[in-house]
Amino acid sequence: MSPLRVLIAGADMATLTLALMLEQAGIDYLLLESHDTLPVVAGGVALHPTVLPLLEQLSLRDDLLFFSQPLEQALVFDANMNCISSLDWSSWQTRYGAWSRFISRPEYCSAVLEKIPESRVLFNKTIQSVTTVETEDDITDTTSNGNTWRWRPDSLLDSDSDDGSSIKDEKRYQARSHQSRGVTVECSDGSVYTGHVLVGDVYSQVERKIKVHAPQMQHLDQERDLPQSLQHLRPYAASHDDGKPHWHGKTDRPPQPTMIKKEASAREIQFHVSGITEALDPQRIPLLKEDTTQLRLVTDDKSSFSWWAATLVDRRIAWQVTKRIPLSEKSVHPNEFGTLQEEQVAAAILEQVSSNMVCPLGGTMSQLISWTPSSNISCRRWDDRRTVSSTGATDSSRVVILGEACKKILPVFGQAGVETILDALALGEALFYLPSTRLRDIHQALETYRWERTVRREAALDESRNMDLLLNVKGPTRRLYRSLILNYTPKCMMDKRYDEKYSYRPQASFLDQVPDYGQVLPISQPRVGGVFVGAPKYG
């Protein structure tokens, strides 16, 4: 087994997928979840051909076939239930080897969790503080009673934790004294866990700020001292349609995800309230009898709402209601729900749902909400702004934010869920090929992971924003634009766009490769230490 130990904060699509990859890669890890069970994030997600080969590698194929349905098309309606357009994806089985599969988020997470040993996942572990050691030299720390403990660089990592009942300062620092290079996590119940790297939704999990010990460490220069195995990162280049250089492999200088950029002011806020109904009578909703997922979207030019509904494999319906709040430059309090908790925000938005909002699958949205248990409703917020968190950069070389905890991608046609799985793949590859557990090697591996994901995440973010503008933005101009794009774009142009996007079907290099049956061959991408370098452009 690899000497590396990874601590994972929180259980979601990205972290659970990463945990399963580490399990099959033989890397030591521990997942800490603050809830007493797997947290429910309601809603459905479309798993596109991009990630299906990886999920088959992870032995999830049978689970996906059981818990999901093919997604062959989507219909777009206006508020009067007039069909604006249809999006046809029925050729994907032939072109890319598989249809998209529509599955509920809880069922995906449960399917992955069942394949992870119980000893690797600890519930009721609310992370209270994180301490990282950012140096290769001896450092000392002092306990509350004045005793001094030395952390030795030549000692082994102590992978044990205390019993978690009432830890003393001396015991805590004795445990840390063996951790010359690593990260220490302390939970609210007093338990302490150590590792080399911490990944996940760190900042929402940690109650106090991360404490970094780097008394004699000069910050690792990202401009110099790349290992010899990474030197050919520099020579690749690519340009996109906007004419601006993007790092796609060959550039004198890859983008620096950890650089702090000025955050743009938000133009609007979106609240996405998602839910999953209980099992329904197919006589009431006839579309539940279909053996493929029926996805229907509604854009309402007369209100601030848009919504969609889709059938699930077990006669349930996944739905989402989006409320858009445009912001003016003079807005002082941009969030009208700013003082409310997630459950209160969801309740406040659902109270505004009119009984006249027709469910595109049948009935009304009010009925659909009434058939949904309160425990199956979730609310998420999205701000229209650019932030540095898109690549998971933190102030520590041992801590990386993963998946949807990074810059949020609008949940349009499953793009957000797909990108979190690709994040897990890229990070799992980087950790598998880590040459040692020294700080410099960890730093370079995480930076390589961020570089590899920067281009694709930015492209996915742009695509989700463009699709959202196309489908949901109000006004007569947008309505005309929507009709022209959806109904009069030549099929050859759509196929070319999809081919560029779904020719990217990466697989984990350290697992047995699965056959690809698509007519459009997957692109062959250069790797650095197992990590894909760059990503195809798509729009």
Side-chain angles (χ1 to χ4, degrees):
M1 179 174 286
S2 168
L4 177 70
R5 193 186 203 208
V6 181
L7 299 180
I8 304 175
D12 57 25
M13 288 185 63
T15 56
L16 287 169
T17 304
L18 175 65
L20 184 55
M21 288 192 65
L22 297 180
E23 177 68 29
Q24 298 196 15
I27 296 176
D28 190 16
Y29 67 95
L30 190 63
L31 192 151
L32 306 174
E33 170 54 47
S34 60
H35 295 81
D36 56 358
T37 60
L38 193 66
V40 175
V41 178
V45 60
L47 302 175
H48 298 318
T50 295
V51 297
L52 292 179
L54 169 66
L55 299 181
E56 185 172 349
Q57 280 187 300
L58 297 176
S59 303
L60 291 170
R61 180 178 182 274
D62 292 340
D63 298 273
L64 292 179
L65 292 177
F66 184 80
F67 288 113
S68 68
Q69 288 179 321
L71 177 59
E72 299 184 21
Q73 69 169 0
L75 300 182
V76 184
F77 293 86
D78 61 19
N80 297 321
M81 291 300 107
N82 298 314
C83 185
I84 301 173
S85 180
S86 64
L87 302 174
D88 182 16
W89 304 318
S90 57
S91 63
W92 288 9
Q93 167 76 22
T94 302
R95 299 181 71 84
Y96 316 122
W99 284 301
S100 287
R101 308 288 302 190
F102 193 83
I103 189 173
S104 73
R105 283 174 174 264
E107 285 170 338
Y108 175 87
C109 293
S110 296
V112 178
L113 182 63
E114 287 183 358
K115 299 187 180 299
I116 299 174
E118 293 184 4
S119 60
R120 298 289 190 176
V121 182
L122 301 182
F123 293 100
N124 290 315
K125 294 295 181 180
T126 301
I127 299 176
Q128 190 174 34
S129 64
V130 176
T131 303
T132 66
V133 182
E134 307 272 339
T135 180
E136 309 289 5
D137 302 323
D138 287 358
I139 69 172
T140 59
D141 210 331
T142 305
T143 64
S144 58
N145 63 2
N147 292 333
T148 299
W149 303 97
R150 178 173 296 277
W151 302 354
R152 302 187 302 269
D154 58 344
S155 59
L156 298 176
L157 175 68
D158 181 11
S159 60
D160 296 329
S161 66
D162 61 276
D163 56 13
S165 56
S166 59
I167 186 170
K168 303 292 185 181
D169 273 348
E170 286 78 6
K171 286 185 65 179
R172 182 186 300 116
Y173 281 94
Q174 279 178 334
R176 291 178 181 175
S177 68
H178 294 285
Q179 184 197 348
S180 62
R181 303 181 296 274
V183 56
T184 300
V185 168
E186 182 178 352
C187 298
S188 57
D189 61 1
S191 55
V192 176
Y193 304 92
T194 58
H196 297 98
V197 180
L198 174 65
V199 303
D201 192 356
V202 180
Y203 285 110
S204 67
Q205 295 278 332
V206 179
E207 295 180 359
R208 299 201 301 261
K209 290 184 178 180
I210 295 176
K211 182 179 180 182
V212 179
H213 285 280
Q216 300 176 355
M217 174 186 171
Q218 294 182 352
H219 189 69
L220 294 175
D221 189 355
Q222 300 168 12
E223 191 77 47
R224 60 180 176 86
D225 294 338
L226 273 177
Q228 190 65 33
S229 61
L230 302 182
Q231 288 298 326
H232 50 295
L233 274 175
R234 302 194 186 285
Y236 296 85
S239 61
H240 285 199
D241 296 336
D242 57 8
K244 299 178 182 178
H246 290 265
W247 187 78
H248 186 282
K250 291 186 176 174
T251 270
D252 291 337
R253 176 90 165 93
Q256 297 302 306
T258 54
M259 291 176 61
I260 297 177
K261 300 177 182 179
K262 185 177 180 181
E263 188 177 90
S265 57
R267 293 179 296 180
E268 73 173 11
I269 292 176
Q270 294 185 23
F271 290 95
H272 304 279
V273 182
S274 305
I276 301 174
T277 68
E278 57 191 8
L280 303 177
D281 184 0
Q283 300 301 323
R284 185 187 295 267
I285 308 291
L287 287 174
L288 289 171
K289 300 176 184 178
E290 301 290 334
D291 57 1
T292 60
T293 290
Q294 304 300 308
L295 175 61
R296 307 285 189 268
L297 302 93
V298 179
T299 176
D300 185 2
D301 287 324
K302 300 178 182 179
S303 73
S304 59
F305 288 98
S306 56
W307 59 95
W308 61 258
T311 57
L312 295 171
V313 71
D314 52 358
R315 295 187 291 110
R316 295 185 298 168
I317 293 177
W319 55 267
Q320 178 176 289
V321 174
T322 297
K323 181 176 177 61
R324 312 172 71 94
I325 304 177
L327 304 178
S328 67
E329 295 180 357
K330 298 181 180 180
S331 297
V332 179
H333 301 288
N335 182 6
E336 66 180 76
F337 305 106
T339 60
L340 302 180
Q341 299 296 323
E342 176 181 304
E343 297 82 1
Q344 296 172 314
V345 172
I349 291 176
L350 295 181
E351 285 180 0
Q352 300 176 18
V353 173
S354 169
S355 59
N356 296 326
M357 289 173 57
V358 179
C359 174
L361 298 178
T364 66
M365 291 303 296
S366 297
Q367 290 177 320
L368 210 61
I369 294 169
S370 68
W371 297 332
T372 305
S374 58
S375 59
N376 284 357
I377 296 178
S378 301
C379 179
R380 289 175 292 172
R381 166 180 170 158
W382 183 84
D383 293 309
D384 184 14
R385 68 179 77 204
R386 299 276 176 158
T387 62
V388 71
S389 62
S390 62
T391 53
T394 67
D395 294 330
S396 169
S397 295
R398 297 187 182 276
V399 179
V400 59
I401 303 173
L402 183 67
E404 291 179 88
C406 302
K407 185 189 299 180
K408 295 181 180 178
I409 296 176
L410 278 166
V412 180
F413 296 135
Q415 195 64 53
V418 166
E419 292 304 317
T420 64
I421 295 173
L422 293 175
D423 285 348
L425 168 61
L427 184 57
E429 292 270 356
L431 295 176
F432 180 82
Y433 289 99
L434 192 67
S436 76
T437 57
R438 293 183 62 84
L439 178 62
R440 181 170 294 277
D441 290 333
I442 290 174
H443 174 85
Q444 295 293 357
L446 295 185
E447 285 302 299
T448 303
Y449 153 72
R450 291 173 183 133
W451 293 342
E452 190 271 320
R453 291 298 295 149
T454 294
V455 170
R456 184 172 180 90
R457 258 199 170 269
E458 289 297 320
L461 179 65
D462 289 339
E463 184 193 34
S464 69
R465 288 156 59 98
N466 291 337
M467 287 299 297
D468 179 66
L469 290 172
L470 175 65
L471 295 172
N472 297 322
V473 173
K474 321 298 181 182
T477 303
R478 275 291 167 184
R479 186 163 59 247
L480 176 61
Y481 177 75
R482 179 161 49 241
S483 177
L484 290 174
I485 295 297
L486 294 179
N487 296 313
Y488 298 101
T489 300
K491 186 177 184 300
C492 61
M493 292 182 60
M494 296 296 297
D495 288 343
K496 180 180 179 181
R497 184 176 302 176
Y498 287 139
D499 289 349
E500 288 179 345
K501 180 176 180 179
Y502 294 121
S503 61
Y504 182 71
R505 303 194 290 273
Q507 300 187 34
S509 63
F510 55 85
L511 298 177
D512 293 337
Q513 302 295 289
V514 300
D516 191 294
Y517 300 104
Q519 289 181 348
V520 178
L521 298 178
I523 59 174
S524 177
Q525 293 207 318
R527 294 172 181 260
V528 175
V531 179
F532 288 107
V533 178
K537 63 180 181 179
Y538 59 88

Short mmCIF file of all heavy atoms in Angstrom, two decimals, residues 122 128 158 198 206 385 397 467 492:
data_model
loop_
_atom_site.label_atom_id
_atom_site.label_comp_id
_atom_site.label_asym_id
_atom_site.label_seq_id
_atom_site.Cartn_x
_atom_site.Cartn_y
_atom_site.Cartn_z
N LEU A 122 -16.28 7.65 8.46
CA LEU A 122 -16.69 7.93 9.83
C LEU A 122 -17.74 9.03 9.82
O LEU A 122 -17.50 10.12 9.28
CB LEU A 122 -15.49 8.35 10.68
CG LEU A 122 -14.34 7.34 10.80
CD1 LEU A 122 -13.24 7.89 11.70
CD2 LEU A 122 -14.83 5.99 11.29
N GLN A 128 -13.44 20.59 13.39
CA GLN A 128 -13.42 21.85 14.14
C GLN A 128 -12.21 22.69 13.78
O GLN A 128 -12.30 23.91 13.70
CB GLN A 128 -13.43 21.55 15.64
CG GLN A 128 -13.64 22.77 16.51
CD GLN A 128 -13.78 22.40 17.97
OE1 GLN A 128 -13.15 21.45 18.44
NE2 GLN A 128 -14.60 23.14 18.71
N ASP A 158 2.06 9.15 12.06
CA ASP A 158 1.22 8.39 12.96
C ASP A 158 -0.20 8.40 12.41
O ASP A 158 -0.87 9.42 12.42
CB ASP A 158 1.25 9.03 14.36
CG ASP A 158 0.41 8.25 15.37
OD1 ASP A 158 -0.01 7.13 15.02
OD2 ASP A 158 0.16 8.77 16.46
N LEU A 198 -5.37 16.88 2.77
CA LEU A 198 -6.79 17.01 3.11
C LEU A 198 -7.52 17.53 1.89
O LEU A 198 -7.14 18.56 1.31
CB LEU A 198 -6.98 17.97 4.29
CG LEU A 198 -8.43 18.31 4.67
CD1 LEU A 198 -9.17 17.07 5.16
CD2 LEU A 198 -8.47 19.41 5.73
N VAL A 206 -15.16 23.09 8.18
CA VAL A 206 -14.31 23.50 9.30
C VAL A 206 -14.94 24.67 10.03
O VAL A 206 -15.31 25.68 9.42
CB VAL A 206 -12.90 23.87 8.79
CG1 VAL A 206 -12.03 24.33 9.95
CG2 VAL A 206 -12.28 22.67 8.10
N ARG A 385 -20.55 35.28 -10.68
CA ARG A 385 -19.28 35.99 -10.50
C ARG A 385 -18.14 35.00 -10.67
O ARG A 385 -18.31 33.80 -10.58
CB ARG A 385 -19.21 36.65 -9.14
CG ARG A 385 -19.11 35.68 -7.96
CD ARG A 385 -19.02 36.43 -6.65
NE ARG A 385 -20.31 36.95 -6.26
CZ ARG A 385 -20.46 38.00 -5.45
NH1 ARG A 385 -19.42 38.62 -4.97
NH2 ARG A 385 -21.67 38.40 -5.11
N SER A 397 -0.46 24.13 1.03
CA SER A 397 -0.02 23.21 -0.02
C SER A 397 -0.51 21.80 0.24
O SER A 397 -0.25 20.91 -0.58
CB SER A 397 1.52 23.21 -0.11
OG SER A 397 1.99 24.47 -0.51
N MET A 467 -25.72 28.06 -21.68
CA MET A 467 -26.96 27.30 -21.76
C MET A 467 -28.04 27.92 -20.88
O MET A 467 -29.21 27.95 -21.25
CB MET A 467 -26.72 25.85 -21.36
CG MET A 467 -25.97 25.03 -22.39
SD MET A 467 -26.85 24.91 -23.97
CE MET A 467 -28.32 24.02 -23.47
N CYS A 492 -25.50 19.34 -38.41
CA CYS A 492 -24.07 19.04 -38.55
C CYS A 492 -23.25 19.89 -37.58
O CYS A 492 -22.23 19.41 -37.05
CB CYS A 492 -23.62 19.28 -39.99
SG CYS A 492 -23.83 20.97 -40.60
#
